[in-house]
Amino acid sequence: MKFVAITACPTGIAHTYMAAESLEQTAKANGDEIVVETQGSAGSEPLSAEDIASADAVIFAADLAVQGRDRFAGKPIVEAPVKAAINDAAGLFERAKAAAREPVTPATPELTSKVGANDNAGTKIRQWLMTGVSYLIPFVAAGGLLIALSFALGGYKIVDAPKVTEHFDAGSVAGWAALMFQIGSAAFDFLVPVLAGFIAFAMADRPAIAPGFVGGAIAVTVGAGFLGGLVAGLLAGGVVLALKKIQVPKPMRGIMPVVVYPLLGSIVVGVLMYVVVGKPIAAATTGLTNWLNSLSGVSALLLGALLGLMMAFDMGGPVNKAAYAFAVGGLTTGATASLQIMAAVMAAGMVPPLALALASTVRKKLFTEAERENGRAAWLLGASFITEGAIPFAAADPFRVIPSIMLGSAVTGSLSMAFGTTLRAPHGGIFVLPLIGNPLLFLVALIAGTLVAAGSVIALKQVRFRAAERSAAVSSQPVNA
């Protein structure tokens, strides 16, 4: 049989391409054909109309809105989280083959989101938020790295430099540092509106983008920040969904998505954000910022440990992304504690792949050949802050690997907070080390957690290995008559 598929994860970095590779390998093993479109950061060739037309069924392995979903109207569609394609691609193909045998009523989906009509409320909200975060990350990466670079070139006083539109010295490092800072700041100004706009988009498609952006911009204006953006996006999507349910005369239907929904949605969301919810959320944001800045001693260690546990628990999944989104949201405040949280989150997220790369190198006999091969790739993935590099190990032995990497990441998160390391860049791993505050202590925290996690994995696997040896020895002994 022939299939087409789309894979997409919130960051668009690792899961997207791992899922595509798993689907392709499984199809080859089954004697089937598949063409995969990866809607990730590196992109891929869009599926051709011929491939879609000739496909027996469609597989969506995605954790956020699928772009161009209307292309598949009338085709049997199977939907699953992106991890399902990595861990159980064969099961997905079985579902797709079963769907291909069922009659399909052609229909164009109302929403460009993977959220199904029968999903529970918690699942829907998580997918909406992850869609917003996925579109936010490129702005965070561009803005954060530019700001970090500006500090590396010009020091922290670069924030007081005059506007480059008024004075720009192309012959000095300080002039270029000021330019980098102001470009990065411009990118950061979009963070909250982009988050709100694409949460709304995931809920109610393109007509909700304008109300979402407007609500996000107002959240910035009233000081509601990242939390205000979350609320504005949910409000905008909810308002537009409600407007879509209103029956209108047929001649007006053409202008509703282009004019009426964006207009009325922006008015309603704007009024709510300015008059009703904006100030309470701003107060909550201020309180959260003050609380983060007051953290010290044991409380800072506990927060670092908690963030480390979250980063390692599902290695790029929803819990990991919740911790990452919390850290990224703090970058918009510029508070010192928020920069420390970003450093702790990145260091903790690097531990799982690095620890398993180390463990599979020093105790090779405890790992399969495939795991040792994955371990060689995990060095680079861990150094690049791609936590998903640990997934193949966790999938093969979850009860030993996951607790071990959670312990190591908790140690790293706590130490990073205790050392006061800071980070303005939201990604980059070891490659942004010159932009990290207290970089040597950052490395100490990273190495300590990596050693703890690797040691725990080796110890737990060693117990199983010795038990297997004893069992083999007993079974090989002759039975006395």
Side-chain angles (χ1 to χ4, degrees):
M1 299 181 72
K2 183 171 182 180
F3 303 93
V4 292
I6 287 181
T7 61
C9 67
T11 57
I13 299 175
H15 278 104
T16 299
Y17 302 100
M18 292 168 68
E21 183 178 1
S22 178
L23 289 172
E24 289 167 349
Q25 290 178 350
T26 304
K28 184 177 180 180
N30 292 345
D32 297 319
E33 296 180 43
I34 191 168
V35 182
V36 184
E37 178 182 323
T38 51
Q39 295 185 355
S41 56
S44 71
E45 286 293 323
L47 294 168
S48 67
E50 293 77 13
D51 285 331
I52 295 173
S54 61
D56 296 299
V58 181
I59 297 173
F60 289 159
D63 287 334
L64 63 151
V66 171
Q67 301 170 25
R69 182 168 178 151
D70 56 337
R71 295 173 289 169
F72 306 97
K75 286 288 181 181
I77 296 176
V78 170
E79 299 188 60
V82 69
K83 276 191 175 181
I86 299 172
N87 298 329
D88 187 25
L92 275 184
F93 278 104
E94 290 300 318
R95 289 175 54 193
K97 290 177 180 180
R101 292 190 286 267
E102 298 293 328
V104 178
T105 302
T108 301
E110 182 183 3
L111 307 182
T112 37
S113 167
K114 76 172 291 292
V115 179
N118 297 322
D119 287 341
N120 60 46
T123 299
K124 290 182 178 180
I125 292 173
R126 181 174 68 84
Q127 301 294 354
W128 294 335
L129 297 181
M130 286 298 99
T131 298
V133 170
S134 72
Y135 284 97
L136 170 74
I137 287 173
F139 289 86
V140 173
L145 290 171
L146 283 169
I147 291 173
L149 180 61
S150 73
F151 287 138
L153 294 175
Y156 287 93
K157 291 185 178 180
I158 203 67
V159 298
D160 300 320
K163 293 182 178 179
V164 293
T165 52
E166 299 171 358
H167 175 73
F168 174 56
D169 183 3
S172 70
V173 173
W176 285 101
L179 181 60
M180 295 299 101
F181 176 79
Q182 290 172 35
I183 295 173
S185 298
F188 256 38
D189 288 341
F190 287 101
L191 295 189
V192 175
V194 165
L195 175 70
F198 284 101
I199 289 174
F201 164 73
M203 294 176 67
D205 213 345
R206 284 174 291 182
I209 290 180
F213 267 80
V214 169
I218 295 173
V220 175
T221 301
V222 302
F226 195 73
L227 292 177
L230 293 174
V231 173
L234 294 171
L235 281 175
V239 168
V240 174
L241 282 176
L243 291 173
K244 284 184 172 184
K245 294 181 179 179
I246 299 174
Q247 298 296 320
V248 297
K250 190 172 182 179
M252 292 185 60
R253 292 176 187 172
I255 66 168
M256 298 298 287
V258 180
V259 178
V260 178
Y261 296 151
L263 173 62
L264 294 181
S266 297
I267 292 172
V268 173
V269 173
V271 170
L272 290 173
M273 290 300 297
Y274 267 127
V275 179
V276 181
V277 300
K279 290 184 178 179
I281 296 173
T285 301
T286 301
L288 177 62
T289 302
N290 292 336
W291 174 71
L292 291 175
N293 284 327
S294 70
L295 288 177
S296 61
V298 175
S299 57
L301 293 177
L302 290 176
L303 179 60
L306 175 62
L307 292 171
L309 291 171
M310 294 175 69
M311 290 300 294
F313 174 69
D314 55 0
M315 297 154 284
V319 177
N320 171 286
K321 291 298 183 293
Y324 182 71
F326 175 69
V328 168
L331 289 179
T332 62
T333 69
T336 300
S338 298
L339 304 183
Q340 292 174 353
I341 288 170
M342 188 71 249
V345 162
M346 188 171 83
M350 295 168 67
V351 166
L354 289 176
L356 290 161
L358 177 61
S360 62
T361 299
V362 300
R363 294 304 303 272
K364 294 181 180 180
K365 69 178 183 180
L366 299 177
F367 297 86
T368 65
E369 179 58 36
E371 287 176 324
R372 292 195 291 270
E373 184 66 29
N374 287 324
R376 287 188 279 273
W379 285 112
L380 179 59
L381 294 174
S384 304
F385 181 35
I386 298 177
T387 316
E388 291 89 338
I391 288 176
F393 298 92
D397 193 4
F399 296 109
R400 292 174 179 81
V401 170
I402 293 177
S404 300
I405 60 177
M406 288 177 67
L407 177 62
S409 291
V411 169
T412 292
S414 291
L415 289 178
S416 180
M417 292 292 290
F419 294 154
T421 60
T422 59
L423 176 65
R424 288 181 178 271
H427 218 288
I430 205 72
F431 302 104
V432 295
L433 189 63
L435 310 179
I436 296 173
N438 298 322
L440 293 180
L441 292 177
F442 177 90
L443 286 177
V444 169
L446 177 62
I447 292 170
T450 299
L451 292 175
V452 168
S456 299
V457 168
I458 290 172
L460 292 175
K461 282 183 173 288
Q462 187 68 39
V463 172
R464 183 187 65 173
F465 184 76
R466 287 176 178 170
E469 284 185 330
R470 286 196 297 269
S471 177
V474 169
S475 63
S476 64
Q477 292 177 356
V479 178
N480 293 325

